Amino acid sequence: MKILITGGAGFIGSHVVRLFVNKYPEYNIINLDSLTYAGNLENLKDIENAPNYAFERGDITNEKFIDELFAKHNFDGVIHLAAESHVDRSISDPNQFIMTNIVGTVNLLNAARKSWNQDLENKRFYHISTDEVYGSLGDEGLFTEETSYDPRSPYSASKASSDHLVRAYYHTYKLPIVISNCSNNYGPNQFPEKLIPLSINNIKNKRPIPVYGKGENIRDWLYVIDHANAIDLIFHQGRVGETYNIGGNNEWKNIDLIYTLCEIMDKKLGRAKGESAQLITFVKDRAGHDLRYAIDSSKIQKELGWKPSLQFAEGLEKTVDWYLNNEDWLNHILSGDYEKYYNQQYHKR
Ligand code: NAD
Ligand code: DAU
């Protein structure tokens, strides 16, 4: 099996690449990534010399490059994670989200279609998507696979658009696709623009922790390795043409999550109880901020026997430990364009 994983140098992609390279020595894993600000080959240092792994640097928006890559490798399967993934960036600058998330996905679909032609036996195009395509929940209810799409940010609209195109290629051309929509991931290697790693970094450096609005928004958090395990199961056993929701059954108000993180870090950093929480700073809300996401993951649980393996307290502690023990990884990111982005995003508020 020759498998193309796109976005493998990013947060979730790097965990998926590692899992596949280690678990399936008989597969050839090709990681395609253009190394945007979010792509980091340091995430894959431990497996970069594995005999069943190769890295290709390239942009999924480049149609010619993608066609040539498929012609060169004859992939049997695609696991597509490459995307612009940060909601705040999509609000300040939507265009790249349209290019990568929509046009890039179509380039991959077309290349797979051409490459596989009529020989679709044992082929699979797996598109990784998000629960944000379903919009925002009130106090009650869960997103199921039947929930209507109602995306509300340029990011989620671009992901919703790509999901529709992937399904259209199944219905129109019989391309053997599968899609999963997952809730918020956390864990090692997440870029520190997202809530948890940004807060860990700010607490560590005694910088204000920016909480949007009143911190009342709710997210359903899942440890990234549990997501990678779900992706493995769906890639191998998910039914063609189907969608699977993946979630942690683990809803937290942002403000409660941040207080918990502060408590963990007070202990780890030898600070007085309550010291880190003094850094909490309420800032202007995100435009169009979705109130609540929560996933009903009973389909993948029943059909494929998946369930989250970690309790949140354990996962958060492991995550904090990882960031405290990997200062070099963080410092390399912080020394790049990060500070410029940070100032643009937070000092205008
Ligand atoms: P990320 O931003 O950490 O990584 C994205 C990767 O894609 C980076 O390595 C980047 O270099 C690469 N990339 C971006 N544009 C590219 C292009 N034009 N060509 C080639 N490579 C490109 O993202 P993530 O958080 O790991 O998310 C991965 C996927 O999972 C995305 O599709 C996202 O929508 C989805 N997802 C994320 C979450 C989450 O909580 N992070 C939850 C559900 C679904
Ligand atoms: O639900 C899945 C999605 O989760 C993925 O599709 C996205 O790629 C991923 O980025 C994530 O989106 P969110 O917008 O939910 O994640 P983020 O970490 O940006 O924000 C989590 C919550 O915290 C959200 O309610 C906004 C809030 N927040 C975020 C930041 C960065 C703050 O209060 N302050 C902040 O500084």
Side-chain angles (χ1 to χ4, degrees), residues 145 229-231 233-234 244-247 296-307:
E145 288 81 1
N229 287 330
I231 290 173
L233 273 177
I234 293 168
Y244 294 86
N245 279 356
I246 309 169
D296 174 350
S297 61
S298 50
K299 179 173 172 180
I300 182 175
Q301 302 216 19
K302 278 190 206 129
E303 261 189 37
L304 305 180
W306 174 88
K307 62 176 184 339

Side-chain angles (χ1 to χ4, degrees), residues 144-205:
T144 73
E145 288 81 1
E146 275 72 50
T147 303
S148 301
Y149 275 31
D150 182 22
R152 296 148 69 98
S153 73
Y155 163 68
S156 54
S158 68
K159 291 295 291 187
S161 176
S162 62
D163 292 10
H164 288 318
L165 285 156
V166 172
R167 277 193 200 98
Y169 275 60
Y170 169 64
H171 291 293
T172 310
Y173 306 115
K174 306 280 173 278
L175 199 76
I177 65 99
V178 64
I179 299 179
S180 58
N181 296 80
C182 188
S183 64
N184 286 63
N185 285 214
Y186 72 100
N189 305 96
Q190 188 169 30
F191 194 87
E193 63 188 350
K194 308 280 166 66
L195 180 68
I196 291 181
L198 184 140
S199 301
I200 292 174
N201 185 43
N202 285 17
I203 294 169
K204 183 178 138 211
N205 294 307

Side-chain angles (χ1 to χ4, degrees), residues 112-317:
R113 211 184 132 220
K114 274 183 249 167
S115 161
W116 296 340
N117 198 5
Q118 298 307 317
D119 178 19
L120 299 173
E121 190 79 15
N122 297 322
K123 303 288 195 302
R124 178 149 296 205
F125 189 105
Y126 180 5
H127 177 60
I128 308 297
S129 192
T130 170
D131 60 356
E132 299 200 12
V133 298
Y134 299 122
S136 181
L137 291 165
D139 294 337
E140 303 272 302
L142 301 172
F143 296 134
T144 73
E145 288 81 1
E146 275 72 50
T147 303
S148 301
Y149 275 31
D150 182 22
R152 296 148 69 98
S153 73
Y155 163 68
S156 54
S158 68
K159 291 295 291 187
S161 176
S162 62
D163 292 10
H164 288 318
L165 285 156
V166 172
R167 277 193 200 98
Y169 275 60
Y170 169 64
H171 291 293
T172 310
Y173 306 115
K174 306 280 173 278
L175 199 76
I177 65 99
V178 64
I179 299 179
S180 58
N181 296 80
C182 188
S183 64
N184 286 63
N185 285 214
Y186 72 100
N189 305 96
Q190 188 169 30
F191 194 87
E193 63 188 350
K194 308 280 166 66
L195 180 68
I196 291 181
L198 184 140
S199 301
I200 292 174
N201 185 43
N202 285 17
I203 294 169
K204 183 178 138 211
N205 294 307
K206 299 196 172 173
R207 282 176 104 168
I209 309 165
V211 179
Y212 296 167
K214 295 185 178 141
E216 303 267 296
N217 304 67
I218 293 172
R219 296 292 182 265
D220 173 357
W221 294 93
L222 179 71
Y223 196 62
V224 61
I225 290 169
D226 281 328
H227 189 188
N229 287 330
I231 290 173
D232 178 19
L233 273 177
I234 293 168
F235 180 72
H236 289 99
Q237 294 171 41
R239 284 181 293 135
V240 167
E242 291 288 320
T243 294
Y244 294 86
N245 279 356
I246 309 169
N249 201 15
N250 178 39
E251 290 181 53
W252 282 76
K253 257 188 199 162
N254 292 340
I255 190 67
D256 297 339
L257 190 164
I258 289 170
Y259 271 113
T260 306
L261 208 49
C262 288
E263 268 173 40
I264 295 175
M265 292 202 58
D266 279 343
K267 282 192 203 131
K268 304 249 175 222
L269 298 171
R271 290 182 188 165
K273 197 163 183 270
E275 191 180 332
S276 299
Q278 287 171 15
L279 299 165
I280 292 174
T281 308
F282 293 94
V283 299
K284 188 169 165 246
D285 209 352
R286 173 184 279 175
H289 198 170
D290 289 339
L291 178 66
R292 175 171 165 256
Y293 305 145
I295 280 272
D296 174 350
S297 61
S298 50
K299 179 173 172 180
I300 182 175
Q301 302 216 19
K302 278 190 206 129
E303 261 189 37
L304 305 180
W306 174 88
K307 62 176 184 339
S309 68
L310 274 190
Q311 293 299 311
F312 196 43
E314 190 188 349
L316 264 189
E317 196 148 322

Side-chain angles (χ1 to χ4, degrees), residues 10-12 33-34 36 39 59-60 81 85 100 129 155 159 185:
F11 166 47
I12 302 170
D33 200 296
S34 63
T36 67
D59 192 327
I60 60 169
L81 296 110
S85 70
T100 291
S129 192
Y155 163 68
K159 291 295 291 187
N185 285 214

